[in-house]
Amino acid sequence: MTPRWGSLLVAREYAHATQGWSDEGERQAFSGLLPLPEGARVLDIGVGGGRSASFLATPGVSYLAIDSSAEMVRLARRNYPHADVRLGDAADLSGFAAGSQDLVVFSLNGLDCLTHDQRLGFVAAAHRLLGPGGRLVFSTHNLDGPSSRQRPRGRQIVEAVNRPGAINTARALPGAALRLTTSHWFYRRNVGQGEQHDGWATAPLRAHEFRFVVHFCRLAAVVGDVRAAGLDVEEIWTDDGRAIAVDQVTHDAHYAHLVCRKPAAAPPAGYSA
């Protein structure tokens, strides 16, 4: 049976991650956008257990979150009962009107769960949904970073054994051994599904014990896709909080956060300020 993002083993990892930043890079990416202005229209995609709602679903903001997993929707509604959370698919945003959003967010590398064609379609859809000057914020795994090369390793057990305190070690060791066994099983099952292309690839991701084959992309290719959709890239931050120039070809971090902007509407022909 193909693992699902809403399966029990995956959902329980999101059940307690209900607030705060995923990493320093995300904090930096949103530092110039928050607090959101009164009446801002926000579409939060792939909301998971609702973590991003903690800083986006604020008073006075028109907030809507979607997730393709019914279990994740249930978790987010439980954690943030005041937020509007619905079942929805990032690969099909046709139900949202053009210009209906001021901010579209797809956090924690959720974009990488889509196929390559779906990714391109999503960025184009985000351009359609945003009003002039609206922002798209998303993160994506780096083809040139360490995540794309990770394999199951016995280090998981070593880390458990080296934790201070015999009681903690005794408790952690069985779980670490089980995760390692699970990682090897899923990796062997999924590695053959990977693809290699110019500027992007798909491969099993270490997170969630290699259950999922996800997208990895070279930075220059990501920026090119965003610009081809008609959006400007304003800022790029690595997961460890380093700023990257928008014309940089590559970087060495696991993933990066991009802050993109839909250009303001051009003035009518013959207009003079």
Tab-separated table of all heavy atoms in Angstrom, residues 40-77:
chain	number	residue	atom	x	y	z
A	40	ALA	N	-6.033	41.496	5.008
A	40	ALA	CA	-5.210	40.717	4.078
A	40	ALA	C	-5.864	39.371	3.796
A	40	ALA	O	-6.399	38.716	4.694
A	40	ALA	CB	-3.814	40.508	4.664
A	41	ARG	N	-5.822	38.955	2.540
A	41	ARG	CA	-6.425	37.696	2.113
A	41	ARG	C	-5.317	36.664	1.937
A	41	ARG	O	-4.428	36.836	1.105
A	41	ARG	CB	-7.193	37.898	0.812
A	41	ARG	CG	-8.284	38.960	0.888
A	41	ARG	CD	-8.736	39.399	-0.496
A	41	ARG	NE	-7.638	40.005	-1.254
A	41	ARG	CZ	-7.724	40.335	-2.536
A	41	ARG	NH1	-8.846	40.132	-3.207
A	41	ARG	NH2	-6.680	40.866	-3.159
A	42	VAL	N	-5.393	35.587	2.735
A	42	VAL	CA	-4.305	34.610	2.794
A	42	VAL	C	-4.821	33.226	2.437
A	42	VAL	O	-5.836	32.768	2.984
A	42	VAL	CB	-3.678	34.572	4.205
A	42	VAL	CG1	-2.576	33.519	4.270
A	42	VAL	CG2	-3.128	35.935	4.588
A	43	LEU	N	-4.108	32.557	1.529
A	43	LEU	CA	-4.376	31.159	1.215
A	43	LEU	C	-3.166	30.357	1.666
A	43	LEU	O	-2.068	30.517	1.133
A	43	LEU	CB	-4.616	30.970	-0.283
A	43	LEU	CG	-4.838	29.520	-0.743
A	43	LEU	CD1	-6.065	28.914	-0.064
A	43	LEU	CD2	-4.990	29.463	-2.271
A	44	ASP	N	-3.363	29.495	2.658
A	44	ASP	CA	-2.297	28.690	3.264
A	44	ASP	C	-2.459	27.249	2.783
A	44	ASP	O	-3.393	26.546	3.179
A	44	ASP	CB	-2.414	28.781	4.785
A	44	ASP	CG	-1.237	28.161	5.510
A	44	ASP	OD1	-0.279	27.735	4.840
A	44	ASP	OD2	-1.274	28.122	6.759
A	45	ILE	N	-1.555	26.797	1.924
A	45	ILE	CA	-1.686	25.501	1.259
A	45	ILE	C	-0.813	24.457	1.952
A	45	ILE	O	0.315	24.730	2.338
A	45	ILE	CB	-1.292	25.630	-0.222
A	45	ILE	CG1	-2.214	26.649	-0.905
A	45	ILE	CG2	-1.366	24.292	-0.936
A	45	ILE	CD1	-1.795	27.008	-2.313
A	46	GLY	N	-1.358	23.237	2.089
A	46	GLY	CA	-0.631	22.179	2.772
A	46	GLY	C	-0.446	22.504	4.237
A	46	GLY	O	0.655	22.421	4.776
A	47	VAL	N	-1.531	22.844	4.914
A	47	VAL	CA	-1.455	23.372	6.283
A	47	VAL	C	-1.026	22.320	7.302
A	47	VAL	O	-0.570	22.654	8.389
A	47	VAL	CB	-2.804	24.007	6.681
A	47	VAL	CG1	-3.879	22.934	6.841
A	47	VAL	CG2	-2.678	24.842	7.941
A	48	GLY	N	-1.142	21.027	6.958
A	48	GLY	CA	-0.731	19.988	7.915
A	48	GLY	C	-1.511	20.079	9.208
A	48	GLY	O	-2.738	20.209	9.207
A	49	GLY	N	-0.801	20.045	10.325
A	49	GLY	CA	-1.453	20.128	11.627
A	49	GLY	C	-1.814	21.531	12.049
A	49	GLY	O	-2.347	21.733	13.142
A	50	GLY	N	-1.517	22.517	11.214
A	50	GLY	CA	-1.920	23.888	11.499
A	50	GLY	C	-0.812	24.801	11.979
A	50	GLY	O	-1.085	25.930	12.398
A	51	ARG	N	0.444	24.347	11.910
A	51	ARG	CA	1.550	25.143	12.436
A	51	ARG	C	1.575	26.560	11.873
A	51	ARG	O	1.705	27.542	12.619
A	51	ARG	CB	2.876	24.441	12.131
A	51	ARG	CG	4.117	25.179	12.617
A	51	ARG	CD	5.374	24.554	12.033
A	51	ARG	NE	5.364	24.644	10.571
A	51	ARG	CZ	5.767	25.721	9.895
A	51	ARG	NH1	6.176	26.787	10.540
A	51	ARG	NH2	5.737	25.723	8.579
A	52	SER	N	1.448	26.695	10.566
A	52	SER	CA	1.533	28.016	9.943
A	52	SER	C	0.357	28.913	10.307
A	52	SER	O	0.456	30.142	10.210
A	52	SER	CB	1.652	27.885	8.423
A	52	SER	OG	0.655	27.014	7.916
A	53	ALA	N	-0.751	28.319	10.733
A	53	ALA	CA	-1.884	29.131	11.168
A	53	ALA	C	-1.533	29.955	12.398
A	53	ALA	O	-2.149	30.995	12.643
A	53	ALA	CB	-3.091	28.241	11.465
A	54	SER	N	-0.529	29.513	13.150
A	54	SER	CA	-0.162	30.225	14.376
A	54	SER	C	0.334	31.634	14.089
A	54	SER	O	0.218	32.518	14.943
A	54	SER	CB	0.907	29.446	15.153
A	54	SER	OG	2.136	29.388	14.445
A	55	PHE	N	0.875	31.890	12.907
A	55	PHE	CA	1.326	33.247	12.596
A	55	PHE	C	0.611	33.865	11.394
A	55	PHE	O	0.822	35.025	11.087
A	55	PHE	CB	2.848	33.287	12.377
A	55	PHE	CG	3.388	32.311	11.364
A	55	PHE	CD1	3.436	32.631	10.026
A	55	PHE	CD2	3.869	31.078	11.768
A	55	PHE	CE1	3.944	31.737	9.100
A	55	PHE	CE2	4.396	30.175	10.853
A	55	PHE	CZ	4.436	30.502	9.508
A	56	LEU	N	-0.262	33.102	10.729
A	56	LEU	CA	-0.994	33.646	9.589
A	56	LEU	C	-2.468	33.901	9.891
A	56	LEU	O	-3.056	34.856	9.364
A	56	LEU	CB	-0.884	32.704	8.394
A	56	LEU	CG	0.507	32.533	7.774
A	56	LEU	CD1	0.482	31.478	6.668
A	56	LEU	CD2	1.024	33.858	7.226
A	57	ALA	N	-3.084	33.050	10.715
A	57	ALA	CA	-4.520	33.193	11.027
A	57	ALA	C	-4.702	34.143	12.197
A	57	ALA	O	-5.166	33.767	13.271
A	57	ALA	CB	-5.127	31.826	11.325
A	58	THR	N	-4.348	35.392	11.983
A	58	THR	CA	-4.389	36.394	13.040
A	58	THR	C	-5.642	37.258	12.913
A	58	THR	O	-6.270	37.299	11.847
A	58	THR	CB	-3.131	37.279	12.976
A	58	THR	OG1	-2.994	37.803	11.644
A	58	THR	CG2	-1.893	36.466	13.305
A	59	PRO	N	-6.036	37.951	13.973
A	59	PRO	CA	-7.243	38.778	13.923
A	59	PRO	C	-7.193	39.796	12.786
A	59	PRO	O	-6.165	40.433	12.536
A	59	PRO	CB	-7.242	39.467	15.295
A	59	PRO	CG	-6.508	38.512	16.187
A	59	PRO	CD	-5.437	37.919	15.320
A	60	GLY	N	-8.321	39.933	12.093
A	60	GLY	CA	-8.432	40.895	11.020
A	60	GLY	C	-7.978	40.391	9.671
A	60	GLY	O	-8.121	41.089	8.664
A	61	VAL	N	-7.438	39.165	9.624
A	61	VAL	CA	-6.951	38.585	8.378
A	61	VAL	C	-7.986	37.616	7.830
A	61	VAL	O	-8.579	36.831	8.578
A	61	VAL	CB	-5.609	37.856	8.608
A	61	VAL	CG1	-5.203	37.049	7.378
A	61	VAL	CG2	-4.522	38.857	8.965
A	62	SER	N	-8.225	37.649	6.518
A	62	SER	CA	-9.119	36.696	5.859
A	62	SER	C	-8.293	35.469	5.499
A	62	SER	O	-7.636	35.425	4.458
A	62	SER	CB	-9.727	37.337	4.607
A	62	SER	OG	-10.553	36.414	3.926
A	63	TYR	N	-8.328	34.481	6.383
A	63	TYR	CA	-7.431	33.317	6.285
A	63	TYR	C	-8.198	32.073	5.853
A	63	TYR	O	-9.259	31.748	6.395
A	63	TYR	CB	-6.783	33.072	7.644
A	63	TYR	CG	-5.927	31.818	7.729
A	63	TYR	CD1	-4.601	31.845	7.319
A	63	TYR	CD2	-6.448	30.626	8.223
A	63	TYR	CE1	-3.804	30.709	7.401
A	63	TYR	CE2	-5.666	29.491	8.311
A	63	TYR	CZ	-4.343	29.535	7.899
A	63	TYR	OH	-3.568	28.401	7.976
A	64	LEU	N	-7.648	31.376	4.858
A	64	LEU	CA	-8.199	30.102	4.414
A	64	LEU	C	-7.049	29.133	4.221
A	64	LEU	O	-6.064	29.450	3.539
A	64	LEU	CB	-8.970	30.266	3.104
A	64	LEU	CG	-9.415	28.974	2.404
A	64	LEU	CD1	-10.360	28.163	3.297
A	64	LEU	CD2	-10.083	29.289	1.068
A	65	ALA	N	-7.146	27.947	4.812
A	65	ALA	CA	-6.123	26.918	4.677
A	65	ALA	C	-6.713	25.688	4.008
A	65	ALA	O	-7.886	25.361	4.212
A	65	ALA	CB	-5.561	26.542	6.041
A	66	ILE	N	-5.900	25.018	3.192
A	66	ILE	CA	-6.336	23.765	2.579
A	66	ILE	C	-5.251	22.709	2.758
A	66	ILE	O	-4.065	23.021	2.916
A	66	ILE	CB	-6.657	23.926	1.077
A	66	ILE	CG1	-5.412	24.306	0.273
A	66	ILE	CG2	-7.777	24.934	0.877
A	66	ILE	CD1	-5.622	24.306	-1.236
A	67	ASP	N	-5.666	21.460	2.721
A	67	ASP	CA	-4.741	20.331	2.734
A	67	ASP	C	-5.419	19.180	2.008
A	67	ASP	O	-6.656	19.033	2.073
A	67	ASP	CB	-4.375	19.927	4.166
A	67	ASP	CG	-3.086	19.120	4.222
A	67	ASP	OD1	-3.096	17.932	3.820
A	67	ASP	OD2	-2.053	19.675	4.649
A	68	SER	N	-4.626	18.373	1.322
A	68	SER	CA	-5.192	17.269	0.547
A	68	SER	C	-5.514	16.056	1.405
A	68	SER	O	-6.149	15.117	0.932
A	68	SER	CB	-4.223	16.860	-0.564
A	68	SER	OG	-2.987	16.413	-0.012
A	69	SER	N	-5.080	16.072	2.665
A	69	SER	CA	-5.321	14.956	3.575
A	69	SER	C	-6.446	15.292	4.545
A	69	SER	O	-6.382	16.290	5.272
A	69	SER	CB	-4.045	14.632	4.368
A	69	SER	OG	-4.335	13.861	5.504
A	70	ALA	N	-7.461	14.451	4.583
A	70	ALA	CA	-8.569	14.669	5.511
A	70	ALA	C	-8.102	14.606	6.956
A	70	ALA	O	-8.611	15.325	7.820
A	70	ALA	CB	-9.673	13.633	5.261
A	71	GLU	N	-7.111	13.756	7.239
A	71	GLU	CA	-6.598	13.646	8.596
A	71	GLU	C	-5.869	14.933	9.007
A	71	GLU	O	-6.002	15.397	10.143
A	71	GLU	CB	-5.652	12.453	8.708
A	71	GLU	CG	-5.014	12.270	10.077
A	71	GLU	CD	-6.014	12.047	11.200
A	71	GLU	OE1	-7.163	11.656	10.915
A	71	GLU	OE2	-5.654	12.271	12.376
A	72	MET	N	-5.117	15.516	8.086
A	72	MET	CA	-4.440	16.774	8.396
A	72	MET	C	-5.449	17.893	8.610
A	72	MET	O	-5.284	18.737	9.500
A	72	MET	CB	-3.475	17.146	7.269
A	72	MET	CG	-2.325	16.190	7.080
A	72	MET	SD	-1.255	16.047	8.539
A	72	MET	CE	0.017	14.968	7.861
A	73	VAL	N	-6.495	17.919	7.813
A	73	VAL	CA	-7.547	18.919	7.997
A	73	VAL	C	-8.165	18.781	9.378
A	73	VAL	O	-8.406	19.770	10.077
A	73	VAL	CB	-8.618	18.788	6.890
A	73	VAL	CG1	-9.845	19.644	7.212
A	73	VAL	CG2	-8.034	19.189	5.538
A	74	ARG	N	-8.399	17.542	9.783
A	74	ARG	CA	-8.968	17.303	11.121
A	74	ARG	C	-8.031	17.830	12.209
A	74	ARG	O	-8.473	18.477	13.167
A	74	ARG	CB	-9.218	15.812	11.321
A	74	ARG	CG	-9.938	15.475	12.623
A	74	ARG	CD	-9.933	13.991	12.908
A	74	ARG	NE	-8.592	13.519	13.230
A	74	ARG	CZ	-8.022	13.664	14.435
A	74	ARG	NH1	-8.679	14.287	15.412
A	74	ARG	NH2	-6.811	13.209	14.657
A	75	LEU	N	-6.728	17.565	12.061
A	75	LEU	CA	-5.752	18.029	13.042
A	75	LEU	C	-5.722	19.550	13.110
A	75	LEU	O	-5.714	20.141	14.195
A	75	LEU	CB	-4.365	17.501	12.696
A	75	LEU	CG	-4.056	16.041	13.013
A	75	LEU	CD1	-2.692	15.659	12.456
A	75	LEU	CD2	-4.106	15.804	14.518
A	76	ALA	N	-5.678	20.187	11.942
A	76	ALA	CA	-5.604	21.646	11.918
A	76	ALA	C	-6.858	22.273	12.519
A	76	ALA	O	-6.775	23.266	13.250
A	76	ALA	CB	-5.397	22.132	10.482
A	77	ARG	N	-8.027	21.704	12.219
A	77	ARG	CA	-9.265	22.235	12.797
A	77	ARG	C	-9.289	22.056	14.307
A	77	ARG	O	-9.785	22.929	15.036
A	77	ARG	CB	-10.467	21.535	12.167
A	77	ARG	CG	-10.752	21.960	10.730
A	77	ARG	CD	-11.851	21.115	10.121
A	77	ARG	NE	-12.239	21.606	8.790
A	77	ARG	CZ	-13.048	20.953	7.970
A	77	ARG	NH1	-13.591	19.796	8.355
A	77	ARG	NH2	-13.335	21.461	6.788
